[in-house]
Amino acid sequence: MAAIAINLPLAKKLAPARKSASKKGDNGTVLVAGGSRFYHGAPVLASMAALRSGTDLVYTAVPCSIATAVRSLSPALIVLPLPDDKLTTGAANRLVAMMPKKADAAAIGMGMTIAKPDAIIALVRKLREQKTKLLLDASALIPEVLAEIKDTNAVVTPHVGEYTRLFGADPGKTEKERMASVQAAAREHGVTILLKGAADVVSDGKKTGINRTHNCAMTVGGTGDVLAGIAAGLICKMEPFEASLLAAYFNGLAGNLSFNRVGLHMAATDLLEDLPQAMKQFDVIAK
């Protein structure tokens, strides 16, 4: 199986250009829905990564119990408070109703507690009706959601354990096994899969790519949330496969810059700090 290995020349070729005359909103609006009473950091990391990726507007939907804490972390966040600590069907409907404008892409699940599978299905369905591109991560990766996202080319970003939970099968140990498994699952369900690991495997069922830009300090919690935010930002402007592959590469570049700076003492917030420098060399401004 021939896989596309992401590298510097390919990343420069894939990176989207920004029009010099663009106005607010032209470069994407992202919704991040996540968080719970115990996990307020995950949606913040994803939201800040989406902004750092070049997105114009990010709305961060979290339970009202942590909304003030989330607001306090950055004035750049537009926080939408949800009524329940767990995502319920009512909260999902309310979230879509309170959105100031339609999101181009939504990243769902980081740090989230879900009351019942019907709640995540309701949120996914409402956003699909608005033609919002979807990225599902963490708690949103449940098998019940597969029927709702089938053949939509939604992006799912599991690690190995979440992959097994979502698809009911272990992806394998070797790169070759994982590429075959991910490609087959992506083809069967009509989604784009970004399987996180020492080497990230990305497939939409037709094309399969691999990203080896990593380091061993990136096992720290939160780096996957940063990846989800970058990918959501890029999905606004790109096809899901290319956006996912490029996001994995950018996440790895930022992680390597952080590793060079702080070594094995990295936190996910270090990636946010280094992400602009990692991505700046790929900036293109078009007329």
Side-chain angles (χ1 to χ4, degrees), residues 164-251:
T164 302
R165 182 181 70 202
L166 182 62
F167 297 111
D170 185 276
K173 304 299 182 185
T174 68
E175 283 186 13
K176 185 176 181 180
E177 290 172 341
R178 291 187 177 189
M179 285 190 289
S181 177
V182 169
Q183 184 172 18
R187 184 187 302 116
E188 177 183 354
H189 297 284
V191 298
T192 292
I193 302 171
L194 196 174
L195 175 62
K196 297 175 287 193
D200 303 309
V201 178
V202 182
S203 183
D204 63 0
K206 299 176 182 177
K207 303 183 291 293
T208 299
I210 192 160
N211 169 59
R212 299 185 179 92
T213 307
H214 283 107
N215 64 74
C216 61
M218 292 180 67
T219 57
V220 67
T223 58
D225 302 315
V226 173
L227 171 58
I230 300 169
L234 293 178
I235 289 167
C236 292
K237 302 177 276 282
M238 303 174 62
E239 290 301 312
F241 172 78
E242 287 77 11
S244 299
L245 189 59
L246 192 59
Y249 181 72
F250 286 157
N251 194 56

Side-chain angles (χ1 to χ4, degrees), residues 108-109 112 114 136-146 157-171:
I108 305 168
M112 179 182 280
I114 299 169
L136 304 184
D137 185 43
S139 299
L141 298 174
I142 55 176
E144 292 88 345
V145 82
L146 284 175
T157 57
H159 56 56
V160 171
E162 292 164 342
Y163 183 98
T164 302
R165 182 181 70 202
L166 182 62
F167 297 111
D170 185 276

Side-chain angles (χ1 to χ4, degrees), residues 44-83:
V44 173
L45 291 168
S47 297
M48 293 304 299
L51 284 170
R52 289 297 194 183
S53 76
T55 303
D56 284 343
L57 292 168
V58 175
Y59 297 102
T60 307
V62 297
C64 60
S65 60
I66 62 170
T68 299
V70 168
R71 283 192 178 104
S72 72
L73 290 171
S74 174
L77 298 177
I78 305 171
V79 178
L80 306 178
L82 300 178

